[in-house]
Amino acid sequence: QVQLVESGGGLVQPGGSLRLSCASSRSIFSIYAMGWYRQSPGKQRELVAEFTSGDRTNYADSVKGRFTISRDNYKNTVYLQMTSLKPEDTAVYYCHVRVITAPYDYWGQGTQVTVSS
């Protein structure tokens, strides 16, 4: 059982910054993958950034150079620092973890990020 609590979303102007946080109820040290997805109405949920096995990171091409994922293993928390935000970044952002046992995938409730003038 894994519970994820997200925070940090909000309304910002283009070019602004936000930092999202996701706190896990269990240790994240042995989690297979942990990161962030986003979804806009009528669109499929897409990967934004994640840590994977071997402490590697993956980023969507659209956010490379603008977003940075980090984590604090002691606090069981993963962060997403978002800079140079664009209107197309507007979405609900979901924390995600993947473990090695069923049901494998766990999701937070999401936090809204809106980028608008």
Side-chain angles (χ1 to χ4, degrees):
Q1 183 181 2
V2 180
Q3 293 182 324
L4 305 172
V5 180
E6 301 141 320
S7 62
L11 173 64
V12 296
Q13 294 183 346
S17 300
L18 285 173
R19 190 177 80 155
L20 307 182
S21 299
C22 173
S24 171
S25 64
R26 301 183 67 178
S27 173
I28 63 174
F29 179 77
S30 60
I31 289 176
Y32 181 77
M34 185 172 187
W36 296 91
Y37 287 68
R38 66 186 180 187
Q39 187 171 25
S40 299
K43 297 182 179 180
Q44 190 174 38
R45 192 170 298 184
E46 64 176 352
L47 173 70
V48 178
E50 66 175 357
F51 288 102
T52 59
S53 60
D55 208 24
R56 293 166 290 185
T57 57
N58 294 318
Y59 290 92
D61 288 341
S62 60
V63 307
K64 288 180 179 178
R66 299 189 297 119
F67 292 8
T68 302
I69 189 170
S70 61
R71 68 187 183 190
D72 186 329
N73 290 331
Y74 182 76
K75 295 182 178 180
N76 295 326
T77 300
V78 65
Y79 306 93
L80 184 68
Q81 180 66 52
M82 305 184 292
T83 62
S84 301
L85 283 162
K86 304 175 181 179
E88 51 262 45
D89 295 318
T90 297
V92 178
Y93 285 70
Y94 296 91
C95 185
H96 166 260
V97 300
R98 183 170 180 84
V99 297
I100 62 174
T101 57
Y104 305 113
D105 294 290
Y106 294 86
W107 298 91
Q109 292 300 306
T111 184
Q112 177 71 46
V113 172
T114 302
V115 185
S116 176
S117 298

